[in-house]
Amino acid sequence: MITNTRKLLPVFTRQGMGVPLILVLLFVLLSVTSPHFLTVENLSNLLLQSVFVMVVAFGTMFVLTMGGIDLSVGSILGLCGGITGWLMMNGINMWFAILAGLALGTLIGIFNGILITKLRISPFLATFAMLYIARGLLLLFTIKEPIRNFATPAFKFIAQGKVFGIPMPVLITLVVFLLCYFLFTSTSFGRFVVAVGSNKEAAHLSGISTDSIKIRVYALSGLLAAGAGVLLTSRLTAVQPLMGTSYELDAIAAAVIGGTSMFGGKGSVVGVAIGAIILALVSNGLDLLAVNQFYRLIITGLIIVTAVGVERFTSSRTD
C-alpha cells in the first residue's frame, strides 16, 4: 500500500520522464515546422484547447485509479452545460443556474455510483447507459428551440475574460488542478482511491468502505464534467445537442497518456495535465500544418500509442 502511494506522481522522476519527453519533442517539432506555433496568440489558444478536456480528465483519473471507468462524462458535460444555459435563458439568476448545473452533474455521478455498487452493474454498462440517457435529455431540451441568447457579460467573462492577461478558463483550471492534486496526494480519500484500485478485497478487509469510495469518486467525476460543461457553455455562449461528444474518450486518453493505469492503483494529477496538453498540441499542430482531416485520427492514435509505450518502457526499466 505504501509503495503504491509513493508512485502516485512519477512525472518528473527518471521513472516517469516518458510523457514529458513526448511533450518536449512535439513542442520542438512544431516550433521548427510551423512559423506560427511560437506566437502568444497560438500558445494561448493551445492552453484554451486543453483546459476543457483537462478538467474532465481529472475526474476520469480518479475513476480509473479506483479501477472503474466512466463513459458518461461527455454527455454529462453537454447536459449540465445545457441546463445552465436553459435556466439562464428562462430568466434564472446566473449563479443559481451554474449551481444547478454542477449539482445535476454530481447527482448523476452519485446515481452511477449507486448503480455500480448497490445493483452490481458493471461500470462500463452503467456509465454507457448514462451516456445515452444524458444525451437524450439534452436532445429533448434543444429539439424545440436552440439554447442561445442567454449569456450575460458576467457569464461570458467566466470563459472569455482575462485576469492580468491570463484567460479565465486557464486560471479556473489551475485552481481545479491544485484542489485535485491536494485531494489525491494529501488526503485519506486519495489514499483510499489508490488502495481500492490496487486491491479491492484487501482495502475492504482493512476497513475501507469501498462502496462509499466508489460513489464519491463517481460523484467527483460528474461534478468535474459538469464544471467543464459550464465553462464550455460560457465559451460558446450557445448549447448544441452534440456538445461534449467524444470528451469521454479524450479524457481517458489524457489520463492514460499521463500515466494512469487502466487496471487501477496508479494515477497522476500532473500526468493528466500533461496528457491533455499533448492532445491539444497534436490537434493544434495538425491545424497549423494543414493536415488533411482524414489523417488526423490516425496520427493522433499513433501519438497516443507512442506516448503510452514510451512511458511504460521507461517505467519498466526502473521497476
Side-chain angles (χ1 to χ4, degrees), residues 12 15 62 92 119 162 212 231-232 262 271 280 303 305 308 314:
F12 296 112
Q15 179 180 354
F62 276 89
I92 302 300
L119 298 184
K162 293 184 178 181
S212 175
L231 274 178
L232 191 57
M262 289 287 290
I303 290 176
V305 170
V308 174
T314 56

Side-chain angles (χ1 to χ4, degrees), residues 27-28 30-32 34-44 46 281 284 288:
F27 196 92
V28 172
L30 291 173
S31 300
V32 172
S34 174
H36 305 292
F37 178 71
L38 284 178
T39 63
V40 174
E41 181 181 1
N42 184 64
L43 293 178
S44 178
L46 174 63
L281 198 59
N284 179 262
L288 292 176

Side-chain angles (χ1 to χ4, degrees), residues 130-147:
M130 186 56 67
L131 179 155
Y132 280 100
I133 294 170
R135 183 64 60 188
L137 290 172
L138 179 59
L139 288 169
L140 287 175
F141 272 99
T142 56
I143 194 170
K144 291 184 179 180
E145 61 175 327
I147 301 175

Side-chain angles (χ1 to χ4, degrees), residues 59-81:
T60 298
M61 183 276 298
F62 276 89
V63 173
L64 292 177
T65 302
M66 183 190 63
I69 193 167
D70 192 348
L71 299 176
S72 66
V73 288
S75 294
I76 293 174
L77 182 156
L79 177 61
C80 295

Side-chain angles (χ1 to χ4, degrees), residues 43-120:
L43 293 178
S44 178
N45 287 334
L46 174 63
L47 280 176
L48 285 174
Q49 279 182 270
S50 68
V51 294
F52 302 104
V53 169
M54 193 183 297
V55 171
V56 179
F58 289 143
T60 298
M61 183 276 298
F62 276 89
V63 173
L64 292 177
T65 302
M66 183 190 63
I69 193 167
D70 192 348
L71 299 176
S72 66
V73 288
S75 294
I76 293 174
L77 182 156
L79 177 61
C80 295
I83 288 294
T84 300
W86 182 82
L87 288 173
M88 292 182 63
M89 190 174 69
N90 286 276
I92 302 300
N93 175 271
M94 179 188 80
W95 293 112
F96 181 83
I98 291 173
L99 288 174
L102 296 177
L104 178 60
T106 305
L107 288 173
I108 293 174
I110 291 172
F111 185 69
N112 281 338
I114 291 173
L115 289 178
I116 292 164
T117 57
K118 304 305 180 184
L119 298 184
R120 304 302 176 188

Side-chain angles (χ1 to χ4, degrees), residues 55-306:
V55 171
V56 179
F58 289 143
T60 298
M61 183 276 298
F62 276 89
V63 173
L64 292 177
T65 302
M66 183 190 63
I69 193 167
D70 192 348
L71 299 176
S72 66
V73 288
S75 294
I76 293 174
L77 182 156
L79 177 61
C80 295
I83 288 294
T84 300
W86 182 82
L87 288 173
M88 292 182 63
M89 190 174 69
N90 286 276
I92 302 300
N93 175 271
M94 179 188 80
W95 293 112
F96 181 83
I98 291 173
L99 288 174
L102 296 177
L104 178 60
T106 305
L107 288 173
I108 293 174
I110 291 172
F111 185 69
N112 281 338
I114 291 173
L115 289 178
I116 292 164
T117 57
K118 304 305 180 184
L119 298 184
R120 304 302 176 188
I121 299 174
S122 74
F124 180 91
L125 290 177
T127 59
F128 189 61
M130 186 56 67
L131 179 155
Y132 280 100
I133 294 170
R135 183 64 60 188
L137 290 172
L138 179 59
L139 288 169
L140 287 175
F141 272 99
T142 56
I143 194 170
K144 291 184 179 180
E145 61 175 327
I147 301 175
R148 61 188 180 189
N149 300 325
F150 58 83
T152 62
F155 186 69
K156 290 180 182 178
F157 183 79
I158 294 174
Q160 299 181 28
K162 293 184 178 181
V163 176
F164 301 115
I166 303 174
M168 276 297 293
V170 175
L171 292 174
I172 292 171
T173 303
L174 177 60
V175 172
V176 174
F177 165 81
L178 293 174
L179 290 173
C180 288
Y181 182 89
F182 173 78
L183 186 64
F184 192 61
T185 63
S186 303
T187 68
S188 58
F189 174 73
R191 292 190 293 273
F192 292 165
V193 169
V194 176
V196 172
S198 299
N199 190 322
K200 179 184 173 182
E201 294 302 322
H204 178 71
L205 291 174
S206 66
I208 297 173
S209 176
T210 56
D211 283 357
S212 175
I213 292 296
K214 287 183 178 181
I215 292 172
R216 283 189 280 168
V217 166
Y218 279 103
L220 177 63
S221 178
L223 172 63
L224 291 174
V230 172
L231 274 178
L232 191 57
T233 301
S234 171
R235 184 71 180 173
L236 300 176
T237 64
V239 177
Q240 302 297 330
L242 298 180
M243 189 173 78
T245 301
S246 83
Y247 265 67
E248 59 278 346
L249 300 180
D250 290 340
I252 291 172
V256 173
I257 289 173
T260 300
S261 173
M262 289 287 290
F263 302 102
K266 179 183 176 184
S268 168
V269 178
V270 178
V272 167
I274 295 176
I277 293 173
I278 286 177
L279 289 179
L281 198 59
V282 172
S283 177
N284 179 262
L286 294 178
D287 282 335
L288 292 176
L289 299 175
V291 175
N292 191 302
Q293 182 69 33
F294 295 112
Y295 296 105
R296 293 191 176 198
L297 292 176
I298 298 173
I299 294 172
T300 302
L302 289 174
I303 290 176
I304 290 172
V305 170
T306 302

